[in-house]
Amino acid sequence: MKKDELRKFLEAVKSGSINVDDAVSKFEGMPFEDLGFARVDHHRALRSGLPEVIFCPGKTTSQVVDIFESLARKARPVLATRATEEVHSEIEERIPEVRYDPVARMAFLPDPEIDEKGLVVIASAGTADIPVAQEAAVTARLMGATVETFWDAGVAGIHRLLPKLELLREAKVIVVVAGMEGALPSVVAGLVDKPVLGVPTSVGYGVSFSGLTSLLTMLSSCAAGVSVVNIDNGFGAGYIAALINRGTC
Amino acid sequence: MKKDELRKFLEAVKSGSINVDDAVSKFEGMPFEDLGFARVDHHRALRSGLPEVIFCPGKTTSQVVDIFESLARKARPVLATRATEEVHSEIEERIPEVRYDPVARMAFLPDPEIDEKGLVVIASAGTADIPVAQEAAVTARLMGATVETFWDAGVAGIHRLLPKLELLREAKVIVVVAGMEGALPSVVAGLVDKPVLGVPTSVGYGVSFSGLTSLLTMLSSCAAGVSVVNIDNGFGAGYIAALINRGTC
Amino acid sequence: MKKDELRKFLEAVKSGSINVDDAVSKFEGMPFEDLGFARVDHHRALRSGLPEVIFCPGKTTSQVVDIFESLARKARPVLATRATEEVHSEIEERIPEVRYDPVARMAFLPDPEIDEKGLVVIASAGTADIPVAQEAAVTARLMGATVETFWDAGVAGIHRLLPKLELLREAKVIVVVAGMEGALPSVVAGLVDKPVLGVPTSVGYGVSFSGLTSLLTMLSSCAAGVSVVNIDNGFGAGYIAALINRGTC
Amino acid sequence: MKKDELRKFLEAVKSGSINVDDAVSKFEGMPFEDLGFARVDHHRALRSGLPEVIFCPGKTTSQVVDIFESLARKARPVLATRATEEVHSEIEERIPEVRYDPVARMAFLPDPEIDEKGLVVIASAGTADIPVAQEAAVTARLMGATVETFWDAGVAGIHRLLPKLELLREAKVIVVVAGMEGALPSVVAGLVDKPVLGVPTSVGYGVSFSGLTSLLTMLSSCAAGVSVVNIDNGFGAGYIAALINRGTC
Amino acid sequence: MKKDELRKFLEAVKSGSINVDDAVSKFEGMPFEDLGFARVDHHRALRSGLPEVIFCPGKTTSQVVDIFESLARKARPVLATRATEEVHSEIEERIPEVRYDPVARMAFLPDPEIDEKGLVVIASAGTADIPVAQEAAVTARLMGATVETFWDAGVAGIHRLLPKLELLREAKVIVVVAGMEGALPSVVAGLVDKPVLGVPTSVGYGVSFSGLTSLLTMLSSCAAGVSVVNIDNGFGAGYIAALINRGTC
Amino acid sequence: MKKDELRKFLEAVKSGSINVDDAVSKFEGMPFEDLGFARVDHHRALRSGLPEVIFCPGKTTSQVVDIFESLARKARPVLATRATEEVHSEIEERIPEVRYDPVARMAFLPDPEIDEKGLVVIASAGTADIPVAQEAAVTARLMGATVETFWDAGVAGIHRLLPKLELLREAKVIVVVAGMEGALPSVVAGLVDKPVLGVPTSVGYGVSFSGLTSLLTMLSSCAAGVSVVNIDNGFGAGYIAALINRGTC
Amino acid sequence: MKKDELRKFLEAVKSGSINVDDAVSKFEGMPFEDLGFARVDHHRALRSGLPEVIFCPGKTTSQVVDIFESLARKARPVLATRATEEVHSEIEERIPEVRYDPVARMAFLPDPEIDEKGLVVIASAGTADIPVAQEAAVTARLMGATVETFWDAGVAGIHRLLPKLELLREAKVIVVVAGMEGALPSVVAGLVDKPVLGVPTSVGYGVSFSGLTSLLTMLSSCAAGVSVVNIDNGFGAGYIAALINRGTC
Amino acid sequence: MKKDELRKFLEAVKSGSINVDDAVSKFEGMPFEDLGFARVDHHRALRSGLPEVIFCPGKTTSQVVDIFESLARKARPVLATRATEEVHSEIEERIPEVRYDPVARMAFLPDPEIDEKGLVVIASAGTADIPVAQEAAVTARLMGATVETFWDAGVAGIHRLLPKLELLREAKVIVVVAGMEGALPSVVAGLVDKPVLGVPTSVGYGVSFSGLTSLLTMLSSCAAGVSVVNIDNGFGAGYIAALINRGTC
């Protein structure tokens, strides 16, 4: 119930066009939950800049396309994660301006009113981690963050990380993507005093356990400053990074 | 090697007071690592406001007291986590102004030059989660964050969470501490668009697996916006929250 | 051995047409187990309304069809779970009245003598959880329960749950189906005083561990009132819900 | 806000003693959550017969006693689980009528207005499982269920179970408590068409893994009809059993 | 119902002292389960030589003593496993002839009518595995097996195993007890064509995981002929070995 | 070196046809290991009746056929496990008398000199467990055991087990094959005093964990008398059962 | 920056062709990390004999070929692991001298200046372990080690290991590759006083858990002298073995 | 049997003082295993420099003292690991020259004939890892290695590692001891081309899982050159390091 409606309702009580008993009944009948919904809804209306997201796996191409089209009518940005080329092509037939990042496997429509601000730095440990890192990068940009990336900075070649120190120090928040032993976030957090978001990836074999070891490493980090998201959750990391970055602008 | 020293050195080369061969030797003998160390060190000198921390378990009382005293001579704030009453008493004999939080089990010396700014909101799901939540609160305050807390907001009584919505929306970052099934961070992240730091606790029994279930729940959250730290790591969550909060001020 | 047969046997003893030694031998030779079987069997004959069920995975289409036809001759309802379209088509050629639910992937023959009574409410957290939830719904209906369902009520959007409170309070038993972090059953059980059956699903990725995290969350629930079945076991949840519902009618 | 208060408020609007603008402001200022709280609270006021419960581990004796006394002033039944003899003695000094079950380790105050109805049957597999089973029994009785129990019916001596078939068939719901390999719930659910609540216990050694194996066994049951609660969660099983039982009366 | 009783019952039917209707009723009223119980019971009466066993952990000393005394009145052998010296002393006060093996931690009363026959060979890999191995040895002897043992034959010193080949080849069944990496059963089964029972022990540290690694090693054995019991289950291994040994005599 | 060869060698020393230095050299050159090998080899020559086995997975069809043919030239029985129809056809082209069991997926050549003796009883809990059970049956028969089987005796229908009691009591050893919750071996071992070999299968879903739950259940059995082999290891169980059975004949 | 370059730079400072301010700027602009990189690089230039390695899985054939060609221009040896025949063929079109080992699945270009020295002995437990063992062998040879191998020396046939004792004693380091129960490294380390590198393989089924059991076994080894690499990591084992071997020459 | 004994035996055959039949019998009676034992024994006699080791946990003080004294009579060095102060004192009463390292918790008698050679470098990540690192250091020194150590070089302060590069490059083998996230071995192996032995420690909390995470990290290392021992196995690492080091001298 919007403020205007409430005012009209109360004026109707005052004027007697609704008598008090009916008004009480109407309040009783007006589910508590709807009031709640209205407030939350209003709140959601304020969430401009947050993407409406479709997680593609488990949906048919035509389902994804329908949902994408439906969201595109209402809001920007729109984002479909883990989208195949085929999904992109089908969307493009209906919405020609849709964009596609084949590395991140994302189809999306940016919000033209969002300017990129702040600085999110995204690093990946190995080349195989790049798709997840790129998913974070695209997500953060869609949500209004300036994003800088560098790949292949694994701890086995720590000297490749050092030239990036200046960049890391300028970041508002750093996303570090790593599979296998997942040690890079610890090293980065030991070098700079910025929030570091660790993203374990399922890259590796044997006791990498599809990302579990990398996850446990990041959570056990001896460096303060590292928080962690689910394995391969590039979208989640980009989303949180953009939230943190937005708070700083 | 500072800039001034470098200039003096190069001028000595130029003036001939050091000949080139000796200069080359000096460069060779000047370990690469020391240069590196110097830069990092300078960087560390800028880390004002970050606590020097002692993790007490596994150290004797006298070891903790010695380290605490040593750190206290150099910097503020100083922080000893998981400190017993006995540890506090012993420190107090040498440093009477030391403070102690018996719930968080922390002994500490604040930095008098730090003002509390921004807003970190810290929520705990159950009463048994309070010590971990309080550890986060003390840490964040020592690092310059204004902190608001509320306890006992578990998802089994979701109505207790709703009155806190306004507070949650004002936060720069939210720390949510929960054991057992650990669902609270998901619920909070679904209600507000702020970075949420989930802290699983070892509270629970049976398949709570000393916090593992709570951890997995938080990482699997269907709500975007949640990143997670190690089980019972209240210090880490408070540290990251303060870093994020500082970026917004 | 039925009562009539027993009577005839004892009368034959009495009349001497079977002498006592032969009768003892016959008793000895008559396996104890058959008596047992008879009683249990009689008991099973009373189990009207419980579906005869075929779990299709691992069986060939023709095996499923043969078993289905065989069961259909003896009893109603008949139910084949995780049945493909192909299985349904093949059954339909022999039993044209067979019905099929493509979402639940179930082929079935209802018992025309069963009326739907009571109320089982079935909720799912995400759209990907619907097939499991629908399996529970079809099962419970076949066993005589009135079933109401609502989908997509995940804890990340708790406001979507609140309008359903009235419905939940009217239920005799509630089935809550959730993958990923599996927090919904806790929230529901915190809101209403009804038995809640949690069904974890294998929906999710990374540390969702194919439903394990959701399962552990439900078992660790801080809300009393939640019991849990195996991952993706929509049939089992529907079966138990119908048993509980039947007890209330 | 109660109905009376609402009526008074609306009458004040009507009479003009509150003008419309102030009324709108008051509504705005009246947090949505409080309305919600009121409804839920009212709802909770209806939850007569559900115990107010204190989980003792992790609380000091004086904390437990204080909470117990506070709850005892407001409602019946009151229940403290996993309570030591010492806790009981301390409570008894203040509330002489408190009762104590040393096997279930529970201190409690029954609700004198509750009559025991229906039938909950509780079985345990081994003697070491009895404390958990007894916790379920006391809980269910406090919530108004007639409870019958039998112990030591493990699957290794299946013949000890068979004489209980008649009792099992009369139950509204059956709680089966088992450690080690946890097979008893499957066997019971194969014999009778009643909802079976499996309670794994931490009894066992080696690969019993403190109840995990028993839990997995129950969840993997080849018998339909078994749902499961957390390891050693006798309280939870008794609570759910009483909810189901109450629905049948 | 024993054979004699059945005969009397049928003769009573024949003679007319019980009429047929009453006989049918009596059969009906005679629970199926009792028949079952009788047969199983008879069967159990034949189980001479199988120990009546008390697993002491979780029982008070007086409970163990009472059960021991009760069993001792009915049968031989009697066996209490994981019994402390104190338990033994208490039993000895009432039953002076009780025997005690302090290594195996067992108190027992042999069956004087059992002669030791066949050959069970029991080997342990390390000295720390001896208590479990000795538990197997005492159990097998109580059940009538001739037992030979040798200790400290770990795979890291395979040459210590070779002098025992002749003995191993004479065995009817071999019990191999090993902690840490648990490789000994594979080696033994590769050398002789006898059934090998592997008993993993909780000896070890780190990734020995309290016997789990040893257990998995034995189950994964590349040598055919190894079956396995639970970790530290010396009693179980001795029991099975004695059953196999008895079959060969 | 056979006894005859040794005698000839020593006679050659005695006669001087080999001088002592050459004899010493020959002994030195005769590797210790070869002596060992010879003894073991002799020992292996006695292992008549033990199958030479090829585990097919991971080998090409032509590799399997070559190995099969090679083994067939030397010994009987020959056995290829987990063999496809194609493997069988290829072998048949070269060895027309090869036999094939499509359920057990085994190609084999029996030893015509082996008579079936004793009694191995093999039971399976569910129909999906039959291939593993049949693998055990074929293996045991090839090794000279009389084998009786019955399928579908799961604990959820315990009455189907009871008519088999007599058969179970006649067995020398019982193999029980079960997936899902794996409770059947416990029940069987509680009914009869025979060695029971539990074979967990990977049948099931969710927390069945591809046989792990069934395995843990069997190892945690509260019934003495159960030992266990690896998941799906029908061959291993049949092999051990035949070893035990052979000892009794 | 090489020594020569440094000397030229300092001479330019001395001669005044670079003034001091510019020199300071140049030093400042010359990132600390580059100095570091230079040293490490120089160090890497000394790493002659260490292969440049491409891990093929997850890369397209054309990606592998491009990287291989690029590395081949700079250095020898070049090594692509887990390379398909197709990858090899494509490389061969551009670099005809490329070699391929189909068992190890490696394409490689040896360094013609490396002579094989020392002795690395590589043993595998089963035939299915050979590809991993061969990967270790090819790697060690490319890095300049003389390599001797023997296959099929599993602990179930320990007599096949004994004839290799002399060879094992001559080795500088021993690589032992084993799946299933992974006991062979323990046995080898018990026989000889050489560093043993255990390589668990994913060979096996059931509780072999894709190599985890073998890994745990090797880590739990009761024989001192065994260190372990990741499951199936033949390359890593060969690499370390060659490093150790090189140190001895 | 030594060569001389063999010669005498064969000469006795030649001379007729032993006839051929007796000689054959003697050979037959002379167990194959003893020949084996002799060779291995001779081999063991060559193992000078390898410590005779007592693992103290699970042994009484007097047991340790007896074994220590017995070993001390035969050989040097002697080593008791995880020995308490009390154990040391008791040994000292009998063997005054025994030495004790309270950090490593080792009591030992060095071999006076061993000179320290080569270079083993041992690094630890955190101060809590020092006891394990020191155990490795003492072990390696007892076995003849020159050992250099440095502590507290965790990846969160990577700059502390860099000044040690020169030392690391001089090492023959490097032992890296780390708990928590265990990333240090990867970093070290990325910097130098030496064999790196990773030793995970049980230091940490939460998902450190008593060293498991550190272990998995080390095994998943993206840097070639790292092999790993069991958690907290400082002795094992020192032992292997000394073996490798000895090969280089």
Side-chain angles (χ1 to χ4, degrees), chain E residues 61-76:
Chain E
T61 295
S62 70
Q63 283 177 319
V64 171
V65 174
D66 287 348
I67 302 172
F68 197 99
E69 200 175 21
S70 158
L71 292 175
R73 272 188 230 109
K74 296 189 301 190
R76 287 291 182 283

Side-chain angles (χ1 to χ4, degrees), chain B residues 3 6-7 9-11 13-16 18-21 23-24 27-28 30-37 39-40, chain G residues 1 3 6-7 9-11 13-16 18-21 23-24 27-28 30-33 35-37 39-40:
Chain B
K3 198 169 180 175
L6 179 61
R7 181 181 303 272
F9 173 76
L10 290 173
E11 282 171 348
V13 170
K14 183 180 173 66
S15 69
I18 297 174
N19 70 33
V20 169
D21 278 353
V24 169
F27 258 94
E28 284 189 326
M30 176 164 38
F32 145 82
E33 295 83 3
D34 283 1
L35 283 173
F37 188 77
R39 278 183 73 113
V40 175
Chain G
M1 193 153 66
K3 197 169 182 176
L6 178 61
R7 179 183 303 274
F9 173 77
L10 291 173
E11 280 171 351
V13 170
K14 182 180 175 68
S15 70
I18 296 174
N19 69 34
V20 168
D21 279 353
V24 168
F27 258 95
E28 284 189 328
M30 177 165 36
F32 143 82
E33 296 84 1
L35 282 173
F37 188 78
R39 278 184 72 114
V40 175

Side-chain angles (χ1 to χ4, degrees), chain D residues 16 33-34 40 46 69 107 110 113 118 142 147 172 199 202 204 229 231:
Chain D
E33 294 82 4
D34 282 1
V40 175
L46 293 174
E69 200 174 22
E113 295 178 15
L142 284 176
V147 176
K172 302 300 185 186
V199 190
S202 52
V229 298
I231 296 162

Side-chain angles (χ1 to χ4, degrees), chain G residues 21-234:
Chain G
D21 279 353
D22 287 354
V24 168
S25 291
K26 188 163 178 189
F27 258 95
E28 284 189 328
M30 177 165 36
F32 143 82
E33 296 84 1
D34 282 1
L35 282 173
F37 188 78
R39 278 184 72 114
V40 175
D41 209 35
H42 175 63
H43 155 63
R44 290 183 73 84
L46 292 173
R47 304 205 324 179
S48 168
L50 300 189
E52 298 280 348
V53 183
I54 310 161
F55 183 70
C56 294
K59 298 195 179 70
T60 66
T61 296
S62 70
Q63 283 177 320
V64 172
V65 174
D66 287 348
I67 302 172
F68 197 98
E69 200 175 21
S70 159
L71 292 175
R73 273 188 228 109
K74 296 188 304 191
R76 289 289 183 286
V78 178
L79 179 53
T81 63
R82 307 202 185 169
T84 59
E85 292 272 6
E86 184 202 351
V87 159
H88 169 240
S89 300
E90 293 285 324
I91 297 173
E92 205 173 26
E93 286 190 18
R94 300 201 213 163
I95 307 175
E97 69 270 28
V98 68
R99 292 167 54 185
Y100 186 65
D101 186 313
V103 172
R105 293 158 303 160
M106 296 166 104
F108 54 95
L109 285 170
D111 181 345
E113 296 178 14
I114 296 183
D115 293 327
E116 294 183 0
K117 294 177 183 164
L119 180 60
V120 173
V121 173
I122 301 179
S124 78
T127 50
D129 302 319
I130 293 176
V132 173
Q134 184 70 0
E135 190 180 88
V138 171
T139 302
R141 282 194 191 107
L142 285 177
M143 290 172 66
T146 305
V147 175
E148 295 283 338
T149 63
F150 60 94
W151 306 154
D152 209 12
V155 292
I158 206 70
H159 57 284
R160 287 195 296 266
L161 179 64
L162 301 182
K164 301 297 182 182
L165 267 177
E166 223 49 54
L167 180 65
L168 292 168
R169 281 169 193 152
E170 287 163 15
K172 301 299 184 188
V173 53
I174 303 165
V175 174
V176 183
V177 181
M180 299 186 75
E181 94 279 50
L184 190 58
S186 293
V187 173
V188 170
L191 292 171
V192 296
D193 298 324
K194 302 290 173 174
V196 173
L197 286 160
V199 189
T201 72
S202 52
V203 170
Y205 64 93
V207 298
S208 296
F209 292 136
S210 303
L212 182 57
T213 291
S214 180
L215 172 73
L216 297 175
T217 301
M218 293 179 188
L219 287 166
S220 299
S221 175
C222 57
V226 181
S227 63
V228 184
V229 297
N230 198 357
I231 297 162
D232 289 336
N233 190 6

Side-chain angles (χ1 to χ4, degrees), chain C residues 230, chain D residues 215-223, chain F residues 180-181 205 207-208 213:
Chain C
N230 197 356
Chain D
L215 172 73
L216 296 175
T217 299
M218 293 180 188
L219 287 166
S220 298
S221 176
C222 57
Chain F
M180 298 186 74
E181 95 277 50
Y205 65 93
V207 298
S208 296
T213 291

